Amino acid sequence: MEWNDPVSILKGVGEQREKKMNKLGIFTLEDLLTHYPREYKDRSRLTKICQLEMDIESTFIARCKASGETIRHGRFTFTRLRVGDDSGEIGLIWYNQPYMKTALKVGESYLFTGKLQNKYGKKEFAVSEWERIGDHFAGGRIVPVYPSVEGLSQKMLRGLMEDALSQLSGGLSEDMPLWLRKENHLAERNFSIEQIHFPNTEESFYEARRRLVFEEFFILQGALFSLKSYLEHGDKGIVMKKKKTLKDFQKHLPFQLTGAQQKVLWELEKDMSTGKQMNRLVQGDVGSGKTAVAMAASYWVIQNGYQSVLMAPTEVLAQQHYHSFSAIFGSLGLETVLLTGGQSAKEKRTNLQKVALGQANMVIGTHAVIQKGVEYHKLGLAITDEQHRFGVRQRGALNQKGEDPHTLVMTATPIPRTLALILYGDLDVSIIDELPPGRQKIDTMAVTSNYHERIYNFIEKQVHEGRQAYVICPMIEENEKLEVQSVLNYTEELQHKLHGCNVQCVHGKMKPKEKQEIMDAFANGAIHVLVSTTVIEVGINVPNAVIMLIENAERFGLAQLHQLRGRVGRGSEKSYCVLVSDAKTKIAKQRLKALVDSEDGFVISEMDLKLRGPGEFFGTRQHGLPELKIANIYQDMPVLIEAQKAADKLLKMDPFLTQEAHQGLKAKFDQFLEGKSLEI
Ligand code: ADP
Ligand code: MG
């Protein structure tokens, strides 16, 4: 068997099971073995039956004394069975697993994990997990617990891991060169993969984990550094003269630039006027006015006799930018052209010609702007909008058009500053940390479900005054059917409770047309209260909606809650965001408080990272950041710094990775750069 064989090569993985595994992102044996445990349970200490304590999870080995029996109580079943060891006997109980009646063989020994309880008038041991004691059983152990989906039990996953490990054992190639492992005290690969799943001791677990965390950071950093060594052209940036810049362009805008926009423009001016090649990231919440910044920068570059290009991730966005740019540039006698995949051949040819001859001052488009055959006359500035949607390679390609144009990357994703600085320390970051004036502050409150009555009254009152509301039900993880059901149920409940309100819902299982009808009806006010999960349309803009009610708020990422909240406060009326949560943990309360206290996407994302750990932070997937499988940026910061240093050393030593010993790493870096779409 090979590392990249499909999982279906394993015994017991048929089509059904394979599909479930695919859902977890597991396609190959490599994916399987890098599907790391979420936590571990220490089953290494075995108890005796006579030592079992009430309500404490314990594990013991016992022999099955008699076959089981199942009793039905309405919708429930109870299956009971007696087992014993040399210290005594105990009755086991399983709920709603009638097959347990015959699953165990009388006279054989098994390992049982669960809790002793006293529920139905007698002491019984409620079994959460059991396993047969095979010939190779060497006592209890530390067992892994994996992230999973319905229908894939821990036991099954564990079995598959064991199988894959024993098939591949010792045969995993080691990509980290020896010098690197020695210098950084890294454990060997086979050992690390084995021990991360089934650690023999706590120490071997830490050793294994450190190696894997290091490797993950190392590949991330190494890949980015290697890309840089290809792209770096040194300090030969085009010098833009400081004439007709900010003040001049301001006259042509229908609004006054905010202080934050001006500050960022000054930073761009400084970069582009000094002979340095600009490589800057501009971050700003949705609506902070990044387009105006791109426009002002382009205007200045054009005044200097150069062209500017803006690449957007979708046609719709490109169109939108094209309209806003041509509206203003057109009145100044500057020509803006659009390049997209959807254009006719003739249209494209005309536009390409304009770009090549320099007739076009401003070029806007999708990734069509970096395609072969697009020749720029004199490119001075390359702007990428919503960068996280593009791969690293695409950004590189835009960079290489023309002769060392300045580059500007714009993103709405508020990556915490700390994170940006760590991951992309060399890149300059500007932040638009202020919204244009006149936006409504949204009153945010976090309450428990005791407040439902009051909230419903409030919604009713707002609707009677002519306003509308959103209600977000929690997502139900991994189960779309249940999710739809919960939305439908909640909608029905609200239809009863909210008098005189038209309550409707949208959910993921609806046909696009049906969904569109509901959204339109909400947009034109026919529907007063819209119930949905977070799949609520991204571009939705209903200024009359003033309430955002979010149920089970603790289940959402802070960044996600912030985005949801951003759907209200778009009109002139006062808006509210109500976060309902009965979560009692301190962290959950702190997280919601962060949202109540701040409307600043950066502050919130920073908090999110701190309070949840990047595992979950990245897990929200909205960030486009690389998903780390095992490393945690906050907790593993020291390892990150070591890995960063090591990657730097490697690329100084062998910038294009031509040495034999570095071929494995080169392949890993390439794989990383091909596959991932990075924020930067
Ligand atoms: P984003 O940062 O999300 O790309 P946009 O650039 O699309 O935001 O700007 C959002 C809206 O705010 C646009 O309608 C734009 O015209 C407006 N806007 C931008 N800057 C200002 C400003 N300084 N004052 C008032 N309105 C502004
Ligand atoms: Mg934008």
Side-chain angles (χ1 to χ4, degrees):
M1 272 185 210
E2 302 273 344
W3 193 226
N4 50 9
D5 277 334
V7 279
S8 55
I9 201 169
L10 293 172
K11 230 172 78 187
V13 181
E15 210 176 307
Q16 289 298 319
R17 210 162 272 174
E18 189 176 14
K19 264 196 206 140
K20 294 210 164 114
M21 295 173 82
N22 291 169
K23 267 199 188 160
L24 289 170
I26 301 174
F27 295 85
T28 63
L29 294 185
E30 169 171 11
D31 299 334
L32 179 68
L33 289 180
T34 53
H35 187 69
Y36 298 123
R38 150 162 71 80
E39 57 173 323
Y40 299 83
K41 291 207 165 140
D42 189 355
R43 303 266 167 80
S44 60
R45 261 161 305 196
L46 298 181
T47 354
K48 291 279 179 198
I49 288 179
C50 70
Q51 295 167 327
L52 290 176
E53 282 179 61
M54 205 55 96
D55 290 325
I56 294 193
E57 191 179 80
S58 28
T59 301
F60 64 89
I61 293 177
R63 196 179 292 275
C64 181
K65 291 281 180 191
S67 56
E69 61 178 68
T70 294
I71 313 171
R72 227 163 246 292
H73 273 289
R75 287 188 292 133
F76 300 103
T77 68
F78 302 91
T79 302
R80 293 188 162 93
L81 187 97
R82 272 199 94 68
V83 297
D85 64 8
D86 55 16
S87 78
E89 280 190 19
I90 185 81
L92 306 182
I93 180 162
W94 281 269
Y95 302 105
N96 298 325
Q97 298 171 59
Y99 54 86
M100 285 312 301
K101 187 176 161 184
T102 51
L104 308 184
K105 285 207 188 93
V106 179
E108 300 238 345
S109 288
Y110 299 87
L111 189 73
F112 297 103
T113 300
K115 281 181 188 170
L116 189 65
Q117 60 179 34
N118 195 348
K119 248 192 186 165
Y120 302 96
K122 56 181 161 188
K123 278 189 187 170
E124 283 179 316
F125 189 81
V127 182
S128 56
E129 267 186 63
W130 61 275
E131 96 185 78
R132 220 175 82 86
I133 305 288
D135 298 337
H136 304 295
F137 186 75
R141 59 179 177 181
I142 300 168
V143 297
V145 180
Y146 297 99
S148 191
V149 291
E150 213 187 316
L152 264 188
S153 71
Q154 290 298 329
K155 203 161 145 179
M156 209 178 283
L157 276 171
R158 231 173 266 156
L160 292 172
M161 290 295 177
E162 273 180 314
D163 194 18
L165 278 173
S166 71
Q167 298 280 354
L168 291 169
S169 176
L172 303 179
S173 65
E174 174 60 87
D175 297 324
M176 300 292 243
L178 195 63
W179 68 265
L180 196 104
R181 273 177 39 217
K182 274 201 173 138
E183 253 178 40
N184 296 284
H185 312 286
L186 302 177
E188 194 271 330
R189 181 129 179 266
N190 284 281
F191 168 88
S192 306
I193 296 267
E194 259 165 50
Q195 292 298 313
I196 201 70
H197 290 289
F198 301 105
N200 290 336
T201 61
E202 221 173 290
E203 264 160 35
S204 63
F205 162 74
Y206 283 115
E207 243 181 278
R209 185 175 183 280
R210 184 169 172 282
R211 140 87 201 215
L212 297 169
V213 167
F214 186 98
E215 182 178 330
E216 191 162 42
F217 282 144
F218 186 79
I219 289 170
L220 169 78
Q221 294 287 303
L224 288 170
F225 289 170
S226 77
L227 187 77
K228 250 188 80 195
S229 49
Y230 280 102
L231 295 180
E232 205 126 82
H233 302 292
D235 280 347
K236 44 176 180 169
I238 305 163
V239 179
M240 301 291 169
K241 300 228 170 62
K242 284 201 173 179
K243 59 178 180 189
K244 284 200 170 184
T245 57
L246 258 178
K247 281 212 186 81
D248 189 56
F249 186 66
Q250 173 70 77
K251 290 202 295 269
H252 310 296
L253 283 172
F255 45 73
Q256 181 68 35
L257 289 168
T258 63
Q261 284 169 318
Q262 291 187 25
K263 184 193 71 193
V264 171
L265 279 169
W266 284 326
E267 287 167 349
L268 301 187
E269 256 184 55
K270 218 158 91 194
D271 281 356
M272 292 196 278
S273 60
T274 53
K276 176 181 150 202
Q277 190 182 357
M278 178 171 78
N279 194 15
R280 189 173 281 275
L281 172 78
V282 172
Q283 294 187 317
D285 238 338
V286 179
S288 60
K290 292 184 291 294
T291 317
V293 167
M295 227 183 264
S298 298
Y299 175 75
W300 184 39
V301 164
I302 294 168
Q303 292 306 311
N304 271 276
Y306 289 88
Q307 291 170 304
S308 172
V309 56
L310 171 64
M311 174 163 79
T314 63
E315 278 206 46
V316 175
L317 232 106
Q319 293 272 2
Q320 194 183 305
H321 282 316
Y322 174 69
H323 290 303
S324 17
F325 274 73
S326 19
I328 291 179
F329 282 8
S331 65
L332 299 170
L334 303 176
E335 174 140 22
T336 306
V337 302
L338 181 67
L339 291 178
T340 64
Q343 285 171 329
S344 72
K346 183 164 167 260
E347 208 175 348
K348 214 177 273 173
R349 208 161 3 162
T350 318
N351 287 343
L352 284 177
Q353 209 163 25
K354 283 184 179 170
V355 176
L357 294 177
Q359 247 170 297
N361 305 103
M362 182 77 216
V363 183
I364 291 182
T366 53
H367 55 264
V369 303
I370 52 169
Q371 237 108 62
K372 270 209 198 92
V374 187
E375 295 293 336
Y376 293 86
H377 176 65
K378 236 180 136 187
L379 188 59
L381 174 63
I383 308 170
T384 316
D385 193 18
E386 305 292 345
Q387 170 64 22
H388 56 285
R389 312 248 203 115
F390 293 105
V392 180
R393 288 248 189 254
Q394 283 168 312
R395 175 172 69 107
L398 184 56
N399 240 349
Q400 280 168 336
K401 286 281 177 191
E403 279 182 34
D404 309 329
H406 294 291
T407 60
L408 179 63
V409 166
M410 306 196 294
T411 174
T413 312
I415 330 173
R417 194 180 196 127
T418 31
L419 199 57
L421 289 179
I422 297 160
L423 285 178
Y424 317 109
D426 58 306
L427 195 118
D428 301 310
V429 181
S430 293
I431 296 183
I432 308 185
D433 50 8
E434 177 188 353
L435 292 179
R439 305 263 160 99
Q440 287 283 333
K441 187 184 165 338
I442 302 161
D443 261 1
T444 304
M445 46 213 129
V447 298
T448 62
S449 55
N450 290 336
Y451 281 73
H452 267 138
E453 211 59 37
R454 265 175 271 183
I455 301 166
Y456 295 153
N457 286 337
F458 183 60
I459 294 179
E460 235 176 58
K461 192 165 152 261
Q462 289 285 332
V463 169
H464 294 159
E465 284 171 15
R467 247 94 42 216
Q468 291 162 280
Y470 295 101
V471 176
I472 308 290
C473 295
M475 294 175 288
I476 295 172
E477 224 181 335
E478 329 281 14
N479 194 329
E480 227 174 324
K481 243 196 259 159
L482 280 181
E483 186 167 303
V484 170
Q485 201 49 50
S486 106
V487 174
L488 292 177
N489 290 347
Y490 196 39
T491 306
E492 210 182 302
E493 191 184 328
L494 288 182
Q495 283 166 343
H496 286 293
K497 288 197 171 140
L498 300 176
H499 303 284
C501 300
N502 183 2
V503 183
Q504 302 293 336
C505 70
V506 282
H507 57 74
K509 283 270 156 132
M510 272 180 175
K511 294 205 180 71
K513 189 164 163 270
E514 219 179 331
K515 218 193 267 178
Q516 194 55 50
E517 277 169 15
I518 300 268
M519 301 305 289
D520 289 346
F522 186 66
N524 68 32
I527 292 173
H528 305 126
V529 177
L530 185 69
V531 185
S532 80
T533 56
T534 46
V535 293
I536 186 165
E537 303 304 300
V538 185
I540 189 169
N541 184 20
V542 181
N544 193 46
V546 297
I547 300 174
M548 170 59 72
L549 167 61
I550 303 173
E551 297 287 349
N552 292 94
E554 77 281 358
R555 296 207 199 155
F556 297 93
L558 282 192
Q560 209 174 6
L561 290 173
H562 178 61
Q563 298 270 353
L564 286 171
R565 175 169 63 180
R567 309 215 180 272
V568 294
R570 289 167 174 248
S572 51
E573 295 296 331
K574 174 134 201 69
S575 292
Y576 307 86
C577 174
V578 186
L579 308 165
V580 182
S581 170
D582 291 327
K584 299 220 162 38
T585 66
K586 196 171 152 212
I587 294 236
K589 285 184 182 165
Q590 272 177 315
R591 292 180 60 233
L592 297 184
K593 186 168 177 322
L595 219 74
V596 171
D597 290 348
S598 177
E599 274 195 73
D600 181 333
F602 289 100
V603 173
I604 289 167
S605 68
E606 188 91 35
M607 216 45 183
D608 204 10
L609 186 62
K610 246 181 230 160
L611 294 176
R612 307 216 304 168
E616 292 163 88
F617 181 83
F618 293 134
T620 61
R621 274 175 192 272
Q622 295 181 352
H623 297 270
L625 281 166
E627 262 188 73
L628 296 172
K629 286 193 150 181
I630 189 163
N632 173 313
I633 293 195
Y634 261 91
Q635 285 166 14
D636 299 319
M637 186 90 76
V639 186
L640 171 59
I641 291 165
E642 284 168 6
Q644 220 167 23
K645 277 194 192 129
D648 187 56
K649 182 165 178 185
L650 170 78
L651 286 154
K652 285 214 168 92
M653 211 160 75
D654 185 9
F656 298 98
L657 299 177
T658 48
Q659 288 175 28
E660 187 56 36
H662 300 151
Q663 292 316 297
L665 281 177
K666 187 171 190 304
K668 280 262 161 78
F669 291 174
D670 281 347
Q671 190 188 357
F672 178 87
L673 291 173
E674 287 306 331
K676 305 276 162 117
S677 160
L678 283 179
E679 185 77 27
I680 296 192

